[in-house]
């Protein structure tokens, strides 16, 4: 049985590219064998990540991620049982939100900036669907 979990968090310190690289490398190493797919979006101080996989695997990984000192204020935005994956092409895709067209951000938010902690989970998920539809995610599995 598959689930999809979406959460957002604040970076503990201003994000360095080395921090992002190390999180992504670890994610790609671990997620492949666990059947986890998803994408990690970030800017200078925020993360938003969607995880798909079996319920046990996703919940166990989320419980690990929550304890990671590199971020805090981790908030679940959306959780659902799913029949099929929407992010199955990415072991852990990445999107630097600061490079996203501001009109796309404005479509789903009050201001042209990413603020998932202040907007609905539905709007954040809709933004992620739009990112995959517009080929804004890098690092596919194939
Ligand atoms: C924003 C964020 C996203 C993360 N995403 C993942 C992930 O998708 N998969 C993963 O294994 N670890 C992820 N991590 C790292 C975990 O918190 C943890 O450090 C790692 O899973 C430990 O793996 P290890 O037991 O193999 O050392 C993430 C950390 C942060 C801060």
């Amino acid at each position: 049985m598959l689930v999809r979990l979406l959460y957002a968090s604040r970076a503990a310190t201003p994000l360095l590219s080395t921090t992002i690289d190390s999180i992504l490398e670890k994610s790609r190493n671990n997620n492949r064998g666990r059947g986890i797919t998803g994408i990690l979006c970030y800017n200078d101080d925020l993360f938003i990540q969607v995880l798909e996989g079996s319920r046990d695997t996703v919940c166990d990984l989320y419980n690990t991620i929550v304890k990671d000192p590199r971020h805090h204020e981790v908030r679940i935005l959306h959780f659902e049982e799913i029949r099929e994956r929407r992010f199955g092409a990415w072991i852990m895709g990445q999107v630097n939100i600061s490079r996203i067209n501001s009109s796309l951000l404005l479509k789903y938010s009050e201001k042209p900036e990413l603020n998932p902690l202040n907007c609905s989970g539905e709007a954040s998920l809709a933004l992620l669907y739009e990112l995959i539809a517009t080929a804004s995610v890098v690092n596919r599995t194939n």
Side-chain angles (χ1 to χ4, degrees):
M1 203 265 297
L2 291 170
V3 300
R4 179 179 302 124
L5 184 152
L6 176 71
Y7 76 84
S9 61
R10 286 194 193 285
T13 53
L15 273 174
L16 302 172
S17 59
T18 48
T19 308
I20 296 289
D21 289 347
S22 114
I23 291 171
L24 285 166
E25 188 186 356
K26 174 65 80 176
S27 302
R28 288 172 185 145
N29 285 341
N30 285 345
N31 294 357
R32 187 177 296 277
R34 294 172 179 163
I36 296 268
T37 54
I39 61 176
L40 178 66
C41 307
Y42 53 87
N43 61 17
D44 288 345
D45 61 351
L46 277 175
F47 291 108
I48 174 165
Q49 186 177 34
V50 61
L51 300 168
E52 294 175 332
S54 81
R55 179 163 55 198
D56 280 351
T57 316
V58 168
C59 291
D60 287 348
L61 176 58
Y62 177 75
N63 288 333
T64 300
I65 291 174
V66 164
K67 295 182 201 123
D68 196 307
R70 290 172 287 193
H71 65 169
H72 57 99
E73 281 184 61
V74 186
R75 301 287 182 264
I76 293 177
L77 305 179
H78 183 87
F79 181 88
E80 64 178 326
E81 293 179 359
I82 54 173
R83 278 197 314 190
E84 58 188 51
R85 296 176 194 250
R86 293 286 299 270
F87 298 89
W90 296 274
I91 291 297
M92 192 46 61
Q94 67 187 95
V95 180
N96 183 342
I97 287 289
S98 48
R99 297 206 189 121
I100 296 293
N101 191 320
S102 59
S103 63
L104 179 55
L105 297 176
L106 199 54
K107 183 171 173 184
Y108 297 104
S109 349
E110 292 169 14
K111 293 185 180 166
E113 55 200 40
L114 181 71
N115 201 347
L117 295 164
N118 272 356
C119 81
S120 74
E122 190 187 0
S124 299
L125 200 51
L127 172 64
L128 298 199
Y129 288 144
E130 188 125 354
L131 292 176
I132 57 176
T134 54
S136 306
V137 185
V138 294
N139 285 313
R140 296 179 76 91
T141 57
N142 45 27

